[in-house]
Amino acid sequence: MPNFGLIPRLLRSRPLTKGLRYFYRYTRPQAYRHNETLWPFVKVRRDAGGRLAGCELRGVRGPATTPLEQLARAIDGDAHLILSGPSVAQIDYARCRLGAVMGVNGSIALRRQRPSLCFDYYAMLDAGFVKRRRDLVAEVLAQDLTLFVTPEVYRWIAFLFDSQAVRCRIALFEEVHQRALRPRARPEELEAQLATDPGLVLFDARHPVHAHGFSLDPPRGLFGGGTVAYTSLQLLAWLGAKTVYLHGLDLTAAAGPRFYESAASQLPTALDRQFSGHIEPAFRQAGRLLSARGVKVYNLSPASRLGGDVFEKRHWSCLLSREADPQTIVEVNP
């Protein structure tokens, strides 16, 4: 159950938060605008190296958090990133042999049909999802897993859910170009900061949407690629995955609602608007970088808008036990 104290109840008020957001927006320089959803609710803690170490919330005590650098990088082998594209519904998880599993947003809904499916990791980037799909978020919070969230998502989890009901471990991350409660870096500043930084690989600081890059050291920040799938891919590579299988990376609203939604309950998406200019270029460059580093990435979505030249496409039957059915590995031509 959520915390029904007076201050948390007021801070969940849409008119109040909207008014505070507008006040912040018009009383701060443009470089600070990305912090409008955090002020005045969130205060971040940083370590001596400037890395995000934790959050303090005004009016409510949130669940405990763990700094990213203190997490065990425990993936040794295959990892599976289960996303929300409708093609996930075609996969028979009862027959699949999986290694480490990471989910995002509504992926947890698969457990309603397959209770034996266990998630080791989870990522949430969209505060709107937390507010609109509290039922699914509650299921994630009740699992024994590591949940990666931004300070904004953490704020809403703390305001909407009782911290005593949180079983998962929570780790905070932020994006490189717009750090929490710090000014947004200008392209030339970002280029200078990362010019000799092997942990934060910058592809294009001057991209009109967000800077393109790939983080090999997430405690120091992650790059946004227009979708939580891109965030998660950086985390899995850092956690030690040598092979990553992408489930449900359809990346188009035309494919239909997310596997756990109906047409009537479908939440909006910017995939079609951002795909060509932002999402596809980010994944393409990340694919080249990961390949050069010996990390294999396979796309299990036959209808994915990402071509087979970005990530090799395979049919989900490649995950079947070879002992049970040695002839089931099928490659999908792009």
Side-chain angles (χ1 to χ4, degrees), residues 7 12 26 52 97 142 157 191 257 272 281 306 308 314-315:
I7 293 179
R12 290 197 301 268
Y26 294 112
L52 194 60
R97 181 180 58 182
I157 287 174
E191 288 174 335
D272 288 339
L306 284 184
R314 288 195 173 185
H315 191 272

Side-chain angles (χ1 to χ4, degrees), residues 18 32 91 109 173 181 196-197 200 267 304:
K18 187 175 181 179
Y32 285 85
I91 300 175
F173 69 88
L181 300 181
T196 58
D197 193 331
L200 299 174
L267 294 179
S304 176

Side-chain angles (χ1 to χ4, degrees), residues 11 15 17 20 25 27 30 66 76 89 124 144 160 190 249 281 317 319:
L11 295 182
T17 56
L20 288 170
R25 182 181 302 175
T27 58
Q30 178 78 26
T66 302
D76 183 17
M124 290 186 190
D144 180 16
L160 296 174
L190 200 58
L249 190 69
S317 60
L319 305 180

Side-chain angles (χ1 to χ4, degrees), residues 100-119:
V101 177
M102 176 178 280
V104 305
N105 297 342
S107 306
I108 195 72
L110 280 173
R111 284 180 50 83
R112 297 175 179 178
Q113 291 78 39
R114 300 293 181 192
S116 61
L117 179 62
C118 293
F119 291 90

Side-chain angles (χ1 to χ4, degrees), residues 76 79 96 102 108-109 115 128 159 162 166 170 180 186 211-212 226 249 270 283 296 298 332:
D76 183 17
C96 292
M102 176 178 280
I108 195 72
F159 286 167
D162 187 342
V166 176
I170 298 179
R186 296 193 299 269
H212 281 179
L249 190 69
F283 274 114
K296 297 180 180 179
Y298 298 112
V332 178

Side-chain angles (χ1 to χ4, degrees), residues 157-229:
I157 287 174
F159 286 167
L160 296 174
F161 299 92
D162 187 342
S163 61
Q164 295 183 353
V166 176
R167 187 182 176 209
C168 68
R169 296 162 297 282
I170 298 179
L172 300 172
F173 69 88
E174 62 183 349
E175 294 190 347
V176 170
H177 71 290
Q178 50 183 25
R179 298 187 182 277
L181 300 181
R182 289 187 170 179
R184 180 180 178 125
R186 296 193 299 269
E188 59 272 16
E189 293 173 336
L190 200 58
E191 288 174 335
Q193 292 170 11
L194 305 184
T196 58
D197 193 331
L200 299 174
V201 182
L202 185 63
F203 301 143
D204 179 8
R206 300 174 186 274
H207 190 274
V209 181
H210 287 312
H212 281 179
F214 196 90
S215 177
L216 303 172
D217 189 5
R220 294 164 59 202
L222 291 161
F223 288 90
T227 168
V228 68

